[in-house]
Amino acid sequence: MGMARFCGGLSRSHRGRVGGAMAIISAFLALSVLTLVLTCIPLDAGFLLPAAPGLRGGAHQVSGYDRTLRDQWSESGEAIATIPIMKTAAAALAVGALVASVRRPRHAGQERCQRVKREEASGYHQALSFLAASEQLRRGNLAHYDDTWHIVENGEAVPPSAVFSDCAVKPSVSEYARAEKAAEKAWISHSVISFDYRVVEVPRNRLLDPACDALVFGHLPAGSPQRRSAEALPQRRLIVIDETVNDLYGARVRAYFEARQVQHEILVLPMTEENKTMDLALEVAKKMKQFNIDRRTEPVIAIGGGVCLDVVGLAATLFRRRTPY
């Protein structure tokens, strides 16, 4: 039982090596048993073997239970061996055990390989079925019209003004329903959530220049309708800044937002790997709640290194889904 548990925790290649080693040990034990049977147990009545060529005399019958093969060699000088029927059976069992111990790992290995191949083939077909179903859902079967979303089947007519979505919903009868046409349903929902963000570079020493609006509107493409709409509205920003960066540039950051007449609050935190904890993220989320940010038009500004961006990103996700930062 202990060896079975030990082998169960090994990889396939290691189990094969362990099986080979066990086969060798089994063969050695079988040979040891065969040697013990033929040399250590006294010979009794049985059948005769002819004398070895070149030795004096022929074959002789030996009776009694107190004479061993060694006695026969020393006393008569003739190669006489009496092998009892019980010893013959023991020798056959030993040889059979030897052959079985050598062949068993090979046959077991073949069975394992066949079983693994069957399992892999089954898993492959299941994966193909899953991918086919996923591909069908990716096409999208939702259309928005009459102020709501509708599941549209193939060939179903929809108004020309309908807006289609990449998302899909596949309805079916619930497996818990008591009848095939029961009201209980089940759905598989495939939702496509895009993650888009803009990267913009600013010339050196211009980022904190009040004439540059990158910290306020840089996340929106220049000339886009979204940017024009934002520029026409009063702006509010929550700034989360690393305490080391705040010591170096905090005064300029405050002067920048004041000059651009942006309502703002600044949260200074020690953004280091040692302080990268859930409590720090929750502190940022709490500040978002107090500032009452609008998750559609007021992205949180994180100023610092990778830890600062990680913490603010997690806090924005926890605060409200898809809160920009």
Side-chain angles (χ1 to χ4, degrees), residues 202-260:
V202 177
R204 185 182 297 273
N205 296 327
R206 283 208 59 198
L207 184 61
L208 295 178
D209 183 354
C212 177
D213 61 4
L215 280 179
V216 182
F217 302 115
H219 62 289
L220 301 172
S224 64
Q226 296 84 357
R227 182 156 179 168
R228 287 195 296 268
S229 298
E231 291 173 345
L233 298 174
Q235 295 299 309
R236 303 170 69 250
R237 292 292 183 272
L238 173 63
I239 301 101
V240 181
I241 186 170
D242 174 71
E243 62 180 6
T244 302
V245 179
N246 181 67
D247 293 340
L248 297 173
Y249 300 100
R252 294 185 59 187
V253 170
R254 291 173 176 80
Y256 173 87
F257 286 102
E258 290 173 358
R260 294 203 61 88

Side-chain angles (χ1 to χ4, degrees), residues 71-289:
D71 296 333
Q72 297 172 37
W73 275 92
S74 61
E75 293 180 11
S76 64
E78 297 174 346
I80 302 174
T82 303
I83 305 178
I85 296 176
M86 292 297 293
K87 293 177 183 178
T88 304
L93 289 175
V95 173
L98 171 62
V99 174
S101 65
V102 173
R103 292 176 60 85
R104 187 179 298 112
R106 179 181 177 185
H107 292 168
Q110 291 176 349
E111 293 177 359
R112 283 196 299 270
C113 290
Q114 293 175 357
R115 183 173 66 254
V116 169
K117 288 181 179 179
R118 290 194 298 268
E119 293 175 354
E120 289 178 348
S122 176
Y124 175 73
H125 291 300
Q126 292 178 1
L128 285 181
S129 300
F130 175 77
L131 290 176
S134 299
E135 184 63 27
Q136 183 179 4
L137 289 176
R138 283 194 189 92
R139 299 191 189 106
N141 64 348
L142 297 179
H144 188 271
Y145 59 91
D146 296 337
D147 298 324
T148 189
W149 288 97
H150 300 263
I151 299 177
V152 179
E153 303 295 340
N154 292 334
E156 182 178 347
V158 297
S161 59
V163 177
F164 284 88
S165 170
D166 292 334
C167 302
V169 174
K170 180 73 173 178
S172 62
V173 178
S174 172
E175 64 270 26
Y176 300 103
R178 295 184 178 181
E180 184 176 353
K181 296 183 178 180
E184 293 81 10
K185 302 292 183 182
W187 295 269
I188 295 178
S189 177
H190 176 76
S191 301
V192 179
I193 301 177
S194 62
F195 185 77
D196 305 321
Y197 59 94
R198 184 169 185 260
V199 178
V200 60
E201 293 183 339
V202 177
R204 185 182 297 273
N205 296 327
R206 283 208 59 198
L207 184 61
L208 295 178
D209 183 354
C212 177
D213 61 4
L215 280 179
V216 182
F217 302 115
H219 62 289
L220 301 172
S224 64
Q226 296 84 357
R227 182 156 179 168
R228 287 195 296 268
S229 298
E231 291 173 345
L233 298 174
Q235 295 299 309
R236 303 170 69 250
R237 292 292 183 272
L238 173 63
I239 301 101
V240 181
I241 186 170
D242 174 71
E243 62 180 6
T244 302
V245 179
N246 181 67
D247 293 340
L248 297 173
Y249 300 100
R252 294 185 59 187
V253 170
R254 291 173 176 80
Y256 173 87
F257 286 102
E258 290 173 358
R260 294 203 61 88
Q261 298 181 351
V262 176
Q263 180 184 351
H264 65 280
E265 289 188 18
I266 297 179
L267 178 62
V268 181
L269 293 174
M271 297 292 191
T272 61
E273 289 290 346
E274 293 75 16
N275 297 324
K276 192 176 180 181
T277 62
M278 182 58 70
D279 291 338
L280 199 63
L282 293 177
E283 187 173 350
V284 176
K286 180 180 179 180
K287 189 64 176 179
M288 293 179 182
K289 177 64 175 178

Side-chain angles (χ1 to χ4, degrees), residues 25-86:
I25 294 174
S26 300
F28 176 76
L29 293 176
L31 289 175
S32 300
V33 171
L34 179 61
T35 303
L36 178 64
V37 169
L38 295 179
T39 59
C40 299
I41 302 177
L43 298 171
D44 51 10
F47 56 88
L48 300 177
L49 291 178
L55 295 179
R56 177 172 51 86
H60 296 271
Q61 177 78 26
V62 179
S63 62
Y65 292 93
D66 58 347
R67 303 184 63 186
T68 63
L69 185 61
R70 184 178 300 174
D71 296 333
Q72 297 172 37
W73 275 92
S74 61
E75 293 180 11
S76 64
E78 297 174 346
I80 302 174
T82 303
I83 305 178
I85 296 176
M86 292 297 293

